[in-house]
Amino acid sequence: MPAPVIEIALHAGVCYGVERALSMAYAAAHDAAQPVHTLGPLIHNPRVVCELEREGVGLADSVDDASAGTLVIRAHGVVPQVIDEARDRGLHVIDATCPYVKKVHAAAAKLVAQGYQLIVVGESGHPEVEGILGHAGGAAFVVSNVEDLDSIDLSRRVGVVVQTTQTPERLAQIVSALVPRVAEVNVINTICKATHERQASAADLASRADVMVVVGGKNSGNTRRLAQICSERCASTHHIEDDAEIDPAWFEGASLIGITAGASTPAAHIEQARSVIARAVGL
């Protein structure tokens, strides 16, 4: 039997916003006022959080946990009051919020100012969504599926923004359900292009692969969605956070092994997984 082929999805791994945040955090570790903390995990990848800690970047759960030095705002963003509080306490603040997330903040604030009832399509409690709500002044509802609309007393004019890592299909479902219920729907599609590219590439590869390995944090919403997309097309889909989780038995009889990774997964982690798989199948 010929050796299997290992193929990495065309679009996989860190996006621009994550790469930018990582660069800012590592630069702060060497150049900024010490000590340096990130406010919450910089990105949803526990391995990266540990790597940052080894470089001297600690983790602060709140502004209270960073009494001096530099505070790096996570890529997901925060409510504006948090940045104000940190600066009022004399902390040097480095805002590593993804520029695309900032666009959602601006869109949410704009729709509220124009008098729309705001709906945020996303995961309730997710840090990015909490930040969006903060920039909307708290005057918004979070909807993750069509059924969530039933609990909202909808206004005549509704504005919609989207968590950057949501799928176009989810947005379309919710907007389609809104249209017959209200007089006006103003949708600002804030899904990140990088998210769509990774999802489309993962779907393409998973539809051809015998086995799919999805690399990234188990706490990463966009990585979990990639795993879901892959599992719908490839029954043998495995979501790993660390290459130590790889089981050689997964690849028995496989001709094509696919690898993809979430937007918070560094290229080095993808390459480590590829190397372990290659050794497991004798390449």
Side-chain angles (χ1 to χ4, degrees):
M1 181 177 177
V5 173
I6 301 172
E7 182 178 336
I8 298 174
L10 179 62
H11 298 284
V14 288
C15 61
Y16 166 73
V18 167
E19 192 167 29
R20 173 179 175 272
L22 287 170
S23 177
M24 293 170 78
Y26 281 115
H30 297 100
D31 303 328
Q34 300 294 316
V36 178
H37 294 87
T38 63
L39 184 58
L42 184 72
I43 59 175
H44 280 155
N45 188 317
R47 286 182 67 188
V48 171
V49 172
C50 290
E51 289 166 3
L52 283 168
E53 189 172 8
R54 288 196 291 270
E55 291 293 319
V57 180
L59 179 63
D61 292 324
S62 68
V63 175
D64 291 336
D65 294 332
S67 57
T70 298
L71 189 66
V72 182
I73 303 301
R74 64 196 300 174
H76 299 104
V78 294
V79 300
Q81 294 86 347
V82 168
I83 294 178
D84 293 340
E85 180 187 357
R87 287 177 174 152
D88 288 344
R89 294 190 178 202
L91 293 169
H92 173 51
V93 176
I94 296 176
D95 189 356
T97 304
C98 171
Y100 295 104
V101 172
K102 283 184 175 288
K103 288 184 178 180
V104 192
H105 294 168
K110 176 183 176 182
L111 288 170
V112 171
Q114 292 175 340
Y116 289 97
Q117 179 187 45
L118 185 68
I119 286 178
V120 181
V121 178
E123 299 173 45
S124 182
H126 188 283
E128 180 185 328
V129 172
E130 293 300 308
I132 296 167
L133 293 176
H135 284 80
F141 297 90
V142 181
V143 172
S144 61
N145 53 58
V146 171
E147 290 72 26
D148 288 343
L149 293 173
D150 296 335
S151 62
I152 301 173
D153 184 12
L154 293 169
S155 298
R156 287 180 54 79
R157 300 172 69 239
V158 172
V160 179
V161 296
V162 199
Q163 182 182 354
T164 57
T165 55
Q166 289 292 305
T167 64
E169 292 77 17
R170 178 67 54 82
L171 174 61
Q173 289 167 0
I174 291 170
V175 172
S176 295
L178 276 170
V179 168
R181 303 188 196 187
V182 302
E184 179 185 353
V185 182
N186 188 341
V187 181
I188 302 179
N189 183 353
T190 49
I191 295 174
C192 178
K193 179 184 176 183
T195 297
H196 177 67
E197 288 176 339
R198 279 151 185 74
Q199 291 172 351
S201 295
D204 171 70
L205 180 53
S207 66
R208 298 183 284 109
D210 301 299
V211 183
M212 281 297 298
V213 177
V214 183
V215 186
K218 301 287 178 67
N219 61 341
S220 165
N222 80 83
T223 307
R224 290 197 304 269
R225 270 188 284 281
L226 286 180
Q228 179 184 355
I229 288 167
C230 291
S231 64
E232 290 168 353
R233 294 160 177 80
C234 177
S236 183
T237 293
H238 307 276
H239 179 182
I240 67 166
E241 197 166 275
D242 189 283
D243 50 66
E245 300 172 55
I246 293 171
D247 184 348
W250 296 344
F251 313 113
E252 291 177 5
S255 297
L256 176 60
I257 300 166
I259 301 175
T260 189
S264 52
T265 306
H269 294 187
I270 300 173
E271 177 54 29
Q272 287 165 8
R274 189 205 63 78
S275 295
V276 170
I277 294 169
R279 290 197 297 271
V281 298
L283 294 177

